[in-house]
């Protein structure tokens, strides 16, 4: 491999003391898409790997890190010696989904008014970038009761976004959803929210 093959400038990120992704180092790399017919028979490499990334050998780069290139995020699944060049190493990566969607987050705060009456006051909506991963529609009916319709969504947003259980997520085409869970994962904050309706859909 010639030095000219390393023509893509990538950013390697690691987690800081707060668990957030921060830039660790920028290096030159060669990036090769993997075809569906190119599986890796290794226990530490998942079969949804999408790219092979070659860089100069670095002992400080770990498989717990990730790559950024051209606005895309790549999860490092495994780091291997280069098959031919000892001063190179290969990183088998999976390209993660992008944040193409925008939703509004609405949070309410409690205020004590006259006669110590506590009311819930919504704060101004905040827009965040996210990826709507899943939308599920379900319904059920008990006896002669009206049909209950429930829609559940799962979205992934960047770690560090301020979304908590009890918030409301507003989708422009589906309405408001109540956040039941906001769970930090390796790369994203995974949010689950539900919307329930009674009667005819």
């Amino acid at each position: 491999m010639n030095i000219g093959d390393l023509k893509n400038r990538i950013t390697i990120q690691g987690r800081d003391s707060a668990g957030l992704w921060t830039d660790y180092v920028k290096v030159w790399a060669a990036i090769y898409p993997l075809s569906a017919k190119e599986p890796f028979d290794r226990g530490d490499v998942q079969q949804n790997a999408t790219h092979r990334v070659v860089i100069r050998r670095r002992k400080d780069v770990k498989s717990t890190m990730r790559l950024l290139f051209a606005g895309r995020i790549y999860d490092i699944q495994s780091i291997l010696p280069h098959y031919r060049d000892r001063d190179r190493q290969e990183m088998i990566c999976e390209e993660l989904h992008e944040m193409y969607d925008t939703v509004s987050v609405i949070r309410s705060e409690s205020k004590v008014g006259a006669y110590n009456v506590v009311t819930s006051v919504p704060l101004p909506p905040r827009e965040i970038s996210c990826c709507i991963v899943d939308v599920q529609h379900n319904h059920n009916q008990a006896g002669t009761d009206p049909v209950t319709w429930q829609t559940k969504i799962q979205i992934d947003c960047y770690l560090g976004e301020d979304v908590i259980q009890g918030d409301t997520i507003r989708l422009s085409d589906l309405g408001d959803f109540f956040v039941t869970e906001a769970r930090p994962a390796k790369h994203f904050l995974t949010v689950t929210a539900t919307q329930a309706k009674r009667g005819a859909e």
Side-chain angles (χ1 to χ4, degrees), residues 73 96-97 99 156-157 159 183-190:
I73 302 174
L96 304 176
H97 50 245
M99 303 303 182
D156 283 349
C157 53
L159 287 173
R183 176 176 50 85
K186 180 179 179 182
H187 298 282
F188 305 115
L189 178 68
T190 297

Side-chain angles (χ1 to χ4, degrees), residues 75 122 125 128 138 177:
D75 176 38
I128 64 170
N138 297 294
F177 291 77

Side-chain angles (χ1 to χ4, degrees), residues 169-184:
I169 298 291
R170 177 168 295 164
L171 278 64
S172 59
D173 56 339
L174 293 176
D176 291 353
F177 291 77
F178 180 77
V179 176
T180 58
E181 182 182 38
R183 176 176 50 85

Side-chain angles (χ1 to χ4, degrees), residues 81-174:
H82 192 268
Y83 71 96
R84 186 184 65 225
D85 299 324
R86 292 187 177 182
D87 64 337
R88 302 283 193 269
Q89 66 187 35
E90 296 183 353
M91 296 178 290
I92 308 305
C93 302
E94 177 191 2
E95 182 181 348
L96 304 176
H97 50 245
E98 297 185 65
M99 303 303 182
Y100 283 131
D101 303 306
T102 301
V103 299
S104 296
V105 179
I106 304 170
R107 182 172 299 168
S108 297
E109 65 177 6
S110 298
K111 289 191 175 182
V112 180
Y115 306 104
N116 291 326
V117 175
V118 179
T119 57
S120 181
V121 179
L123 299 175
R126 296 178 288 109
E127 287 194 346
I128 64 170
S129 297
C130 68
C131 177
I132 301 175
V133 178
D134 189 32
V135 179
Q136 297 180 10
H137 300 280
N138 297 294
H139 69 276
N140 59 71
Q141 185 176 24
T144 59
D145 290 344
V147 177
T148 299
W149 302 85
Q150 184 183 70
T151 303
K152 182 166 73 172
I153 62 170
Q154 179 185 319
I155 68 172
D156 283 349
C157 53
Y158 293 115
L159 287 173
E161 288 286 8
D162 185 16
V163 182
I164 60 174
Q165 182 179 348
D167 285 347
T168 296
I169 298 291
R170 177 168 295 164
L171 278 64
S172 59
D173 56 339
L174 293 176

